[in-house]
DNA sequence: TAGAATATACGAGAAACTTCGTTAAACACT
DNA sequence: AGTGTTTAACGAAGTTTCTCGTATATTCTA
């Protein structure tokens, strides 16, 4: 099977770093992690190994220091997790999710609103 | 402290049932749960006890069979979890989340689109 | 009122997730 | 070559989450 599991909380934190600096070695990733909290190098290493085992990241072992990359783009992961949340809490309805998201957040700026509107038009046209 | 933690996967499944049938006894909740999979009554009971301990549900112990209710409404929980996802995967930007949600989902029907548009107008006016 | 049914409490074990120390191999530099 | 540094691998322990059996109390009913 080719199914990549949903990342856990800690795994997601690591992926967020990797989306900005990968391809990267464990050392490089670890340097970023410790900017916001203390952790052992081996903890980071172990996390990457487990994530590789799960298929969340790929790695190149050609050199002594392996080089890691996320298996999915940030966008793909966003889609995956949004989909999960939609199914588990919004009865499978994306619009219900969107309504709730917009409704509980008034500080959306004009250009963002325009962007959303434009996208809505596109969705409308595409029917 | 008054802080209610984010429900886990299993806890959320139970809350989903409770939002439709609560106030309810463990027995009633359990009957719903076993409609989609086998579990022991005591498992359900223990989950509710832990959830009560965490503050996710309230209970009335006046009678032999305690009566449970969610501590938060479904809407409040939706807001809470959307907020969490937004912070952990969308850099704190709701509009980026909304764009991704709408973009990766073409099958939004017309009335839903209209609803979203109306809400956008409201957000726009309220500035 | 005695036995059956139904409920809670509780603890133990399984499973998933996270952290870290130890070991050994690869490499870097005199 | 010999010493120190950097790395991967691995296992073990700590945590959280989930599942379930057993013990005990309460309620029902025949």
């Amino acid at each position: 099977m080719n199914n990549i599991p949903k990342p856990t909380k800690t795994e997601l934190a690591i992926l967020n770093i990797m989306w900005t600096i990968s391809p990267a070695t464990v050392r490089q990733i670890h340097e970023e992690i410790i900017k916001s909290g203390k952790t052992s190098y081996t903890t980071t290493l172990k996390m990457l190994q487990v994530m590789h085992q799960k298929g969340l990241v790929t790695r190149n072992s050609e050199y002594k220091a392996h080089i890691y990359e996320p298996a999915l783009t940030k966008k793909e992961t966003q889609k995956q997790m949004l989909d999960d949340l939609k199914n588990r809490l919004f009865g499978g309805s994306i619009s219900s999710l969107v309504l709730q998201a917009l409704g509980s957040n008034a500080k959306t700026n004009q250009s963002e609103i325009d962007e959303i509107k434009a996208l809505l038009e596109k969705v409308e046209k595409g029917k």
Side-chain angles (χ1 to χ4, degrees), chain A residues 74-115:
Chain A
K74 181 165 188 173
K75 192 162 188 161
E76 286 166 337
T77 302
Q78 286 174 335
K79 175 165 161 32
Q80 182 191 26
M81 297 199 67
L82 224 28
D83 216 62
D84 179 71
L85 189 62
K86 177 197 73 179
N87 290 330
R88 290 194 297 112
L89 193 53
F90 291 88
S93 160
I94 265 292
S95 60
S96 146
L97 184 154
V98 168
L99 281 170
Q100 177 61 42
L102 288 173
S104 66
N105 188 289
K107 51 182 184 308
T108 306
N109 72 39
Q110 190 59 53
S111 67
E112 289 171 336
I113 292 177
D114 291 341
E115 219 177 332

Side-chain angles (χ1 to χ4, degrees), chain A residues 28-84:
Chain A
Q28 291 171 316
I29 294 164
H30 182 64
E31 290 303 319
E32 287 300 314
I33 288 176
I34 59 180
K35 284 180 183 171
S36 52
K38 184 167 46 117
T39 354
S40 287
Y41 172 83
T42 51
T43 300
T44 303
L45 171 65
K46 181 67 162 191
M47 284 303 301
L48 265 311
Q49 286 171 344
V50 169
M51 289 167 79
H52 176 247
Q53 164 67 32
K54 289 184 180 178
L56 286 165
V57 299
T58 61
R59 79 176 175 191
N60 177 343
S61 316
E62 193 177 343
Y63 308 102
K64 183 192 175 190
H66 300 173
I67 295 172
Y68 287 84
E69 275 184 273
L72 299 182
T73 64
K74 181 165 188 173
K75 192 162 188 161
E76 286 166 337
T77 302
Q78 286 174 335
K79 175 165 161 32
Q80 182 191 26
M81 297 199 67
L82 224 28
D83 216 62
D84 179 71

